Amino acid sequence: MDIRSNPKARYTAIQVLAYGVNIIGYDLIGHWMIGLKLIHTRISPSRGVDYCLTMTIDDTLFFQGDHGRPNLTDFISRMPDDVLVMILSHIEGAKYINQVNGVINSYNNPRVQVFQIRFDLDYSYSDDIDEWIQFALDKKVEKLELNLLDNGYSIRDPAENYDFALPSPSAMVGQTLSLKKLSLTGVNLNEPTLNRILKNSPHLRTLFMCRSELFPRIHVGGQDIKLKHLKMVDCSGFESISFYGFELVSFTYCGPEIEFHLTDLPKLKELDIGEVSLGLENNVFSQISSCALSLQVLILDMWSPKKGLNVNAIIKLPNVKKLMLVMGAEEDDSLLQFTSIAQACPSLETFSISLHWYAPMKRRRKVRHVAAPHLHEHLKVLEIIGYYGRISDLELAVYVIDNAVALQKIVIDPICHACDGDVTAQDFFKGVKAARSSARRQLTPTLPPGVHLAIL
């Protein structure tokens, strides 16, 4: 409900908040507002405790009535929109807390296989969340999910996230956790807690972290770690990641460029890392070189292809069967140099290229570049996401058509999955329609017999 630009929505919010105050309790709402530094208290000899707004709404407003109780609707109607949204979220949070506590208090079974919390909750609810985690661990939970940014669009200072807490080490002496899968969104982890989770969870196979604040240097390794799959999305607070000496199978990292150290990971088959630059100043290939023989899927997210590619740094990836390159493509410069990465994968079967556009999309060149021939014996599928019909798009498609002797299918997705938010819906669909037409016109005449062209 956007009350900032919708008077009707604001009126509804005022009524909901006044109702919530009556149901949950005026003193509790007052306590929240003090904690949020929206109001402060004053002592009146004749009336007891009054609540006073810390901010100015017209003039400084004091609650009126018995013991500082105001006319709720009148008082709430004078709140700024941001304050209304904040208090409403706390009312909804309190209702959710009560619902979860009610279920937990009435639960009599000895075990819980799956325990999921999906609601926008910050550190101010730490006591309740701590108790929920304790309950789940006591019940030998196998799959634990804490999604504390469940509205999907919430942007919160990581310092306001809940800090994941385990029972004290003394309380867990000789005990192990039953966790098999742990998923944390909007939840922070410090180094001792992460190590205790990994070292004390012999069955933990999957760890997912999203928008979590961690610690500067993540250093994880040892044969007592049984983790197989790790995914980190939009996490913060760290500069480097070092994994060594355990049987990790897949690792996904989505976030700003950092330093990687991946050593003695003989089972690592899938690696998805970004953002990376592949110019002379970057050593991403040397960082993953120890995994070169085991990798079968490699995804590299490159946002600045203008910096160029250090071809001499590319390592052989003999067993990679699926390669995806994610690239920014603001101009119409040739991207053929990046096919050198595909050339380093002699077993390649699927080659995916995702082009991220930003308006205005530009066609500048009329001259098509041609790459040096390189035989791809096993390449069967080419996928280009964000194909717009520029010369640089066509160059990539023609390179594969000319060099992939086993090619069976070309998939063209004209929709850019990171297009500029300023593009109107009308212009967006117009661009997609034009891209489909360009792909059909450009590629159909070049298709070898037996190769299927799919335009989504």
Side-chain angles (χ1 to χ4, degrees):
M1 179 172 56
D2 185 3
I3 68 174
R4 295 171 178 83
S5 58
N6 189 329
K8 184 176 180 180
R10 177 180 170 85
Y11 174 79
T12 302
I14 290 170
Q15 305 304 312
V16 169
L17 181 51
Y19 174 77
V21 172
N22 283 320
I23 295 298
I24 294 178
Y26 174 81
D27 290 329
L28 182 55
I29 297 294
H31 175 73
W32 284 338
M33 294 182 74
I34 292 171
L36 295 168
K37 298 181 180 179
L38 301 177
I39 63 174
H40 62 269
T41 59
R42 70 172 187 175
I43 303 296
S44 169
S46 60
R47 294 203 307 267
V49 177
D50 280 351
Y51 294 97
C52 171
L53 285 173
T54 300
M55 68 195 69
T56 300
I57 304 177
D58 299 329
D59 297 319
T60 301
L61 175 66
F62 292 90
F63 289 11
Q64 302 298 322
D66 293 339
H67 299 289
R69 269 72 171 171
N71 179 304
L72 288 174
T73 302
D74 177 65
F75 170 68
I76 294 169
S77 67
R78 300 175 68 182
M79 287 182 176
D81 291 344
D82 290 343
V83 178
L84 267 176
V85 171
M86 194 177 300
I87 299 301
L88 279 170
S89 68
H90 276 264
I91 288 179
E92 292 301 313
K95 290 166 61 178
Y96 185 81
I97 293 288
N98 289 336
Q99 290 173 354
V100 175
N101 288 337
V103 171
I104 287 177
N105 291 334
S106 62
Y107 190 85
N108 295 320
N109 292 340
R111 297 181 69 89
V112 171
Q113 185 175 3
V114 180
F115 188 85
Q116 296 175 322
I117 297 294
R118 296 177 178 176
F119 202 85
D120 195 345
L121 301 171
D122 60 18
Y123 71 95
S124 64
Y125 299 96
S126 293
D127 290 344
D128 290 289
I129 301 172
D130 286 348
E131 292 181 2
W132 299 345
I133 293 175
Q134 181 67 67
F135 165 83
L137 297 180
D138 288 344
K139 296 292 185 179
K140 305 298 182 183
V141 66
E142 295 181 0
K143 297 179 181 180
L144 174 61
E145 177 185 347
L146 297 179
N147 184 348
L148 305 188
L149 289 172
D150 190 46
N151 55 32
Y153 54 83
S154 176
I155 298 177
R156 186 166 68 209
D157 185 341
E160 297 178 357
N161 286 346
Y162 165 75
D163 293 311
F164 192 93
L166 287 174
S168 65
S170 60
M172 293 185 62
V173 173
Q175 297 184 26
T176 59
L177 303 178
S178 299
L179 287 171
K180 294 182 178 179
K181 181 177 181 180
L182 177 61
S183 177
L184 304 174
T185 301
V187 177
N188 296 342
L189 275 174
N190 59 33
E191 185 172 10
T193 301
L194 177 60
N195 285 331
R196 288 179 61 204
I197 291 172
L198 295 176
K199 300 287 186 179
N200 289 281
S201 303
H203 308 291
L204 183 62
R205 299 295 181 265
T206 303
L207 174 59
F208 171 78
M209 294 181 285
C210 178
R211 298 188 186 179
S212 299
E213 186 171 57
L214 303 171
F215 41 93
R217 291 175 177 79
I218 299 175
H219 192 73
V220 172
Q223 294 183 356
D224 52 348
I225 294 177
K226 305 303 180 183
L227 192 67
K228 302 292 185 183
H229 308 283
L230 174 60
K231 186 172 184 177
M232 303 169 65
V233 179
D234 293 337
C235 295
S236 60
F238 57 97
E239 303 167 356
S240 66
I241 292 177
S242 176
F243 296 145
Y244 64 94
F246 64 106
E247 296 186 347
L248 187 66
V249 174
S250 67
F251 174 51
T252 298
Y253 168 78
C254 301
E257 187 172 347
I258 61 169
E259 185 177 351
F260 289 94
H261 300 281
L262 307 176
T263 56
D264 192 18
L265 301 171
K267 302 292 186 180
L268 187 60
K269 295 181 179 180
E270 300 181 17
L271 183 60
D272 179 351
I273 55 176
E275 304 167 1
V276 300
S277 64
L278 300 178
L280 293 173
E281 77 286 356
N282 189 267
N283 61 345
V284 64
F285 288 112
S286 66
Q287 292 175 354
I288 68 174
S289 60
S290 66
C291 309
L293 294 179
S294 62
L295 284 179
Q296 296 182 13
V297 177
L298 177 63
I299 302 174
L300 296 175
D301 192 337
M302 301 167 290
W303 283 93
S304 301
K306 282 186 177 182
K307 293 182 179 180
L309 174 66
N310 182 8
V311 177
N312 295 326
I314 299 174
I315 60 174
K316 287 294 182 181
L317 301 161
N319 296 306
V320 167
K321 296 181 179 180
K322 180 176 181 180
L323 173 67
M324 172 175 257
L325 303 180
V326 182
M327 295 184 284
E330 293 88 347
E331 306 296 337
D332 199 6
D333 299 325
S334 178
L335 300 173
L336 281 175
Q337 61 179 325
F338 294 97
T339 60
S340 299
I341 304 175
Q343 294 173 11
C345 306
S347 300
L348 189 63
E349 296 179 0
T350 300
F351 186 20
S352 298
I353 303 167
S354 181
L355 303 173
H356 285 190
W357 297 103
Y358 294 91
M361 302 177 189
K362 299 177 181 178
R363 291 187 179 97
R364 288 189 172 181
R365 291 189 292 121
K366 294 184 179 180
V367 178
R368 182 163 65 87
H369 297 164
V370 179
H374 182 91
L375 185 64
H376 292 276
E377 296 184 75
H378 305 287
L379 184 55
K380 299 176 181 178
V381 178
L382 169 67
E383 178 185 34
I384 303 181
I385 302 167
Y387 190 105
Y388 187 62
R390 303 175 317 157
I391 294 298
S392 55
D393 304 341
L394 178 60
E395 287 173 350
L396 291 170
V398 170
Y399 166 80
V400 172
I401 290 172
D402 288 346
N403 292 281
V405 294
L407 189 64
Q408 298 176 0
K409 186 175 184 180
I410 297 176
V411 179
I412 300 295
D413 181 354
I415 297 179
C416 170
H417 295 282
C419 63
D420 197 309
D422 294 333
V423 176
T424 65
Q426 182 178 2
D427 288 342
F428 174 80
F429 288 112
K430 183 179 179 180
V432 169
K433 183 178 180 180
R436 289 193 178 106
S437 177
S438 295
R440 190 173 291 107
R441 184 183 67 256
Q442 292 172 337
L443 299 180
T444 300
T446 67
L447 287 179
V451 176
H452 175 61
L453 175 63
I455 301 176
L456 306 181

